[in-house]
Amino acid sequence: MNGDLSRATLRRVVQAASRAPTAENCQPFRFRWQDGALHLLHDADRARKGQDRRHHDSLLALGALLVGFEIAAAVEGLAVQPALALDDPAAPCWGSLRFHPDPSPALADLAPVLARRCTDRRLFRGGRLPEAALRALAAPGGAAGISTLAAPSPALLRFLWRAERLVWSHEPTWQDVMRWLRVTQAEVERSRDGASWRTMGVDLPELPLLGRLRQPGARAPLARLGGGMAASAWLLRQVRSSAGLVLLTVKQPGRAALVDAGRLMMRAWLCLTEADHGVQPHSQPSFFVHEAAVGNLPPDLDPRFSALYAEGLALWRRELGLGPAELPVMMLRAGWSDSLPEGRRTLRLGVEEVLEGG
């Protein structure tokens, strides 16, 4: 192959970096080795969802992926030089990475943490957030910021309760989530993407009938039976079992800022994982607040949610002292937790499915 990277090295780097998180584990990036560089290709069909309007969700995922590449390359004694192309996110190529020798032991030491990192939806055992370590991750004057909150106020808890109802109130959002639900082990192993029913935070046997949740019309009767109320109640149990919340923000809206926020989210997630904290991201009370503020909500969304997100933004700003232009982009809940069993971890596509020319 071209360049100084061997085929085996490239494949190891891509495979390890691909452990970075993506919404619903949709894995919307492919890679092409060409002319001594690894080109980052955005798969618009995999990314397709209401949460990815203007590709905002994919930009967050790109930031997390870049951190994954930095760590995976460091294991091989390499550094990564990214050249991003974000002016036209509709274009399939979002930039390229070049690799050069530059051992970085500190980054390489994070490789086992990268391998352990996962979404943990179980109840936690409280704990104490490593607040100083988390805040130290944000570069002074950077485009993204990080805040921690050990004990949400009753007003913020009420907002979280109400925001969780979005998926039960909006059919397109429901379909976006259900599209990636995998309901049998055979389906999990065949697709190697999406979220297995075993990752939902509760012990359930294999129930193929869960696949009916993906059918049009499944949401409304479940909502009438109290599905949204139950989901909100479960969220509050999750939050109350946690050591606290971590909020990732952008100082000003923009594509590059979302990539930076994704980088910071990934570093925070790794910091928490290294401290033996389970981590679960929540987008409804954070990402959708950002989308409301920049005028990027789905046009068919109930107007009551627009008002709710405006209320949520005021709450976040008041409780965390955010700047007047600072916007939330992702909320992580974290707390002490045992390592997630292997069978509850999401799988990834094989390197041969995501890498061309290597």
Side-chain angles (χ1 to χ4, degrees), residues 145-223:
I146 188 168
S147 299
T148 58
L149 186 64
S153 70
L156 185 56
L157 286 173
R158 175 170 169 75
F159 165 68
L160 299 180
W161 162 280
R162 294 163 64 197
E164 186 67 11
R165 304 289 293 279
L166 170 65
V167 70
W168 294 86
S169 305
H170 186 235
E171 182 67 22
T173 299
W174 173 270
Q175 291 298 329
D176 286 343
V177 173
M178 291 301 115
R179 176 189 177 197
W180 296 103
L181 177 65
R182 306 292 178 247
V183 300
T184 67
Q185 190 58 28
E187 189 177 23
V188 168
E189 293 174 1
R190 181 176 63 251
S191 67
R192 301 192 69 82
D193 62 12
S196 163
W197 86 101
R198 286 196 173 112
T199 69
M200 295 298 107
V202 293
D203 289 319
L204 281 176
E206 185 170 306
L207 298 172
L209 289 177
L210 285 174
R212 294 184 179 178
L213 295 176
R214 294 181 290 217
Q215 297 177 356
R219 174 195 58 83
L222 286 173

Side-chain angles (χ1 to χ4, degrees), residues 119-126 150 152 157 160 164 199-202 230-245 278-282 284-285 331-336:
T119 295
D120 190 344
R121 296 181 175 89
R122 300 174 297 177
L123 299 178
F124 299 149
R125 301 193 307 275
L157 286 173
L160 299 180
E164 186 67 11
T199 69
M200 295 298 107
V202 293
S232 293
W234 175 245
L235 170 64
L236 291 192
R237 284 191 66 194
Q238 289 175 320
V239 170
R240 287 169 174 148
S241 77
S242 306
L245 306 178
V279 178
Q280 180 185 4
H282 285 276
Q284 281 91 337
M331 181 188 97
L332 307 177
R333 74 170 187 101
W336 284 337

Side-chain angles (χ1 to χ4, degrees), residues 247-261:
L247 189 71
L248 288 307
T249 63
V250 291
K251 306 295 179 64
Q252 295 286 345
R255 294 171 185 150
L258 286 170
V259 175
D260 286 347

Side-chain angles (χ1 to χ4, degrees), residues 36-83:
L38 187 66
H39 298 269
L40 308 174
L41 309 177
H42 182 245
D43 187 331
D45 183 63
R46 278 189 164 270
R48 174 176 50 83
K49 60 177 75 70
Q51 192 167 318
D52 203 45
R53 290 168 54 80
R54 301 182 195 165
H55 306 296
H56 283 186
D57 205 36
S58 290
L59 291 165
L60 281 174
L62 176 61
L65 180 66
L66 292 175
V67 175
F69 269 110
E70 291 168 356
I71 295 169
V75 173
E76 307 291 340
L78 301 169
V80 179
Q81 181 180 351

Side-chain angles (χ1 to χ4, degrees), residues 1-2 4-13 352 355 357-358:
M1 59 187 297
N2 296 327
D4 297 328
L5 226 60
S6 73
R7 177 185 177 88
T9 299
L10 177 64
R11 288 171 66 86
R12 285 195 300 270
V13 168
E352 65 281 352
L355 176 60

Side-chain angles (χ1 to χ4, degrees), residues 113 116 120 122 124-130 243 268-279 334-340:
V113 187
R116 285 172 52 204
D120 190 344
R122 300 174 297 177
F124 299 149
R125 301 193 307 275
R128 185 185 298 274
L129 293 177
W269 204 326
L270 294 171
C271 175
L272 290 162
T273 300
E274 194 170 30
D276 294 323
H277 282 58
V279 178
W336 284 337
S337 182
D338 298 328
S339 181
L340 196 67

